[in-house]
Amino acid sequence: GAGVSQSPSNKVTEKGKDVELRCDPISGHTALYWYRQSLGQGLEFLIYFQGNSAPDKSGLPSDRFSAERTGGSVSTLTIQRTQQEDSAVYLCASSLEQESNYGYTFGSGTRLTVV
Amino acid sequence: LAKTAQPISMDSYEGQEVNITCSHNNIATNDYITWYQQFPSQGPRFIIQGYKTKVTNEVASLFIPADRKSSTLSLPRVSLSDTAVYYCLVGDNNAGNNRKLIWGLGTSLAVNP
């Protein structure tokens, strides 16, 4: 597709359950980012993938969070044993390795609600 | 990377010009200034980017003074659909450094009829 696609758009889960969030980046974009946005807050960086390099996981808030990127394209963010504080919008973005004059492109996000 | 400061909220009316100023006193030589727009239930969307002086596209203009310690996003003749949160970010253009960009609370612009 033309843009970054995320699924599901909304997810309600019970505390303690695992969830998987999917991101389909723009074709040809080698860089992929996951962010979290809590209500009324700015974006919080979680993890960054660039080509075949080891991902930068420095933003993951705990070891319950993990992410994969298969074949340099689709990425999955997994949250194990979800907690209520994990409730947020999870945003994925992609870009070319070197951006000039147009930043990076975000998906519409997955709104996660842990009850 | 440089931090930014911008007003938390602004109000305007349809047809007016809106100017949102962002301060970035610690901007580095290689840093660009980029503005994003975010509507409810959507991810941020790139609006405009500049390095110095003035940049204009079909959506907005960006004014950057010579010292580059601030920038002003100018939205001409706003409409109700311009109601959104506007983020100012400062950093170089390398994809690897995008992850280090600090996203503040942005400026929540409300356009009234």
Side-chain angles (χ1 to χ4, degrees), chain A residues 31 33 35 37 40-45 48 50 55-56 91 95-109 111, chain B residues 32 34 36 38 40-46 48-50 87 89 92-106:
Chain A
Y33 318 72
Y35 288 86
Q37 187 172 31
Q41 300 296 312
L43 274 65
E44 175 190 2
F45 166 74
Y48 163 71
Q50 173 59 280
D56 176 0
L91 291 160
S95 74
L96 295 169
E97 182 173 349
Q98 292 287 342
E99 288 297 303
S100 61
N101 300 325
Y102 56 93
Y104 50 155
T105 304
F106 285 84
S108 293
R111 180 176 297 278
Chain B
Y32 284 75
T34 310
Y36 286 81
Q38 185 176 28
S41 302
Q42 293 188 26
R45 180 177 76 105
F46 172 88
I48 198 166
Q49 183 180 81
Y87 295 93
L89 294 127
D92 67 36
N93 262 345
N94 187 290
N97 286 330
N98 280 338
R99 59 191 151 159
K100 301 176 185 176
L101 293 174
I102 298 172
W103 290 76
L105 296 177

Side-chain angles (χ1 to χ4, degrees), chain A residues 9-25:
Chain A
S9 55
N10 281 286
K11 176 72 176 179
V12 179
T13 189
E14 291 182 351
K15 178 180 173 181
K17 294 283 181 67
D18 297 352
V19 295
E20 282 191 355
L21 312 179
R22 176 187 168 105
C23 173
D24 224 320

Side-chain angles (χ1 to χ4, degrees), chain B residues 58-85:
Chain B
E58 65 278 6
V59 177
S61 293
L62 179 60
F63 298 91
I64 306 168
D67 66 5
R68 304 202 322 126
K69 293 183 182 300
S70 67
S71 60
T72 298
L73 175 72
S74 182
L75 305 172
R77 300 178 298 283
V78 294
S79 64
L80 296 177
S81 63
D82 292 317
T83 294
V85 178

Side-chain angles (χ1 to χ4, degrees), chain A residues 17-19 64-65 77-82 86 90 112:
Chain A
K17 294 283 181 67
D18 297 352
V19 295
R64 296 186 295 106
F65 289 72
L77 177 69
T78 301
I79 309 173
Q80 296 178 309
R81 304 181 302 282
T82 52
D86 299 334
Y90 289 82
L112 175 66

